[in-house]
Amino acid sequence: MKKVTIGTDVRIYESREELPSDDLILMEKATEALGKSHSPYSRFRVGASVLLDNGEILSGANQENASYPLCLCAEMVVFSAVSSQFPNTTIKKVAITVKNEKLHINMPVSPCGACRQTMFEFENRQGSPIEVLLMGETGAVYILDSVKSLLPLSFDGSLL
Ligand code: THU
């Protein structure tokens, strides 16, 4: 038996004001997208914006349904929009932010497992890493070099 540690490098910016300007613009788009969240059940808004290699920015927000399992995460909304509307582009970065109407979140929030798997499929398909920027309503911004680093020991289609 041997024990190994699988680590993840995270760059931590103390606040959004410290971000490089292109990252700040992307995070501001994700923050704008919070306004398009339909989340009357959870009152938890999520905004996600992607930067494409053609310079285009697309945004999405979570869309809930009275039949709860039908809820769509913000990441799923925007990543599906990319493959439907810009099928031949690659995603350079994704910025994700949240707003809980019931409590102030002063730290980055990580995507759910299903969204990690979905974004990982895109990363594999396009063959280049997607940088991930995470932010709460306020506070620090975490930046990871790839979706893979959010999903160690990941499952991919190579064995199917
Ligand atoms: N949600 C997202 O949009 N992305 C995630 O990665 C986690 C959860 C949404 C789904 C639901 O509308 C609300 O947040 C509460 O789970």
Side-chain angles (χ1 to χ4, degrees):
M1 194 281 267
K2 75 174 174 191
K3 196 172 171 187
V4 295
T5 303
I6 301 172
T8 298
D9 288 332
V10 182
R11 276 175 278 143
I12 300 180
Y13 292 84
E14 285 311 321
S15 71
R16 70 169 78 195
E17 285 72 38
E18 279 185 20
L19 288 173
S21 61
D22 57 334
D23 288 347
L24 179 59
I25 289 169
L26 195 64
M27 193 50 90
E28 281 175 347
K29 289 286 181 192
T31 305
E32 254 176 61
L34 292 171
K36 304 209 173 82
S37 164
H38 174 66
S39 41
Y41 307 105
S42 70
R43 302 266 166 211
F44 188 80
R45 294 171 179 264
V46 185
S49 294
V50 295
L51 172 67
L52 305 181
D53 61 354
N54 63 7
E56 197 94 38
I57 292 179
L58 264 71
S59 298
N62 56 326
Q63 306 297 320
E64 297 186 347
N65 192 286
S67 175
Y68 294 169
L70 301 184
C71 293
L72 290 173
C73 288
E75 298 89 330
M76 302 277 197
V77 171
V78 73
F79 274 64
S80 304
V82 171
S83 47
S84 317
Q85 292 172 37
F86 295 91
N88 299 315
T89 54
T90 58
I91 302 173
K92 309 288 279 181
K93 300 170 188 249
V94 56
I96 302 164
T97 190
V98 299
K99 180 174 168 52
N100 185 336
E101 292 170 20
K102 295 165 294 186
L103 105 124
H104 185 92
I105 299 181
N106 188 36
M107 59 185 285
V109 174
S110 246
C112 73
C115 288
R116 291 178 203 208
Q117 183 70 29
T118 299
M119 295 191 291
F120 182 59
E121 179 91 6
F122 273 76
E123 191 170 84
N124 269 339
R125 249 166 80 183
Q126 69 180 34
S128 60
I130 301 172
E131 201 174 80
V132 182
L133 288 68
L134 304 174
M135 199 184 82
E137 198 178 339
T138 53
V141 182
Y142 288 178
I143 302 189
L144 296 97
D145 288 337
S146 64
V147 177
K148 170 83 184 161
S149 54
L150 268 179
L151 195 63
L153 300 178
S154 35
F155 176 74
D156 65 37
S158 59
L159 299 177
L160 298 180

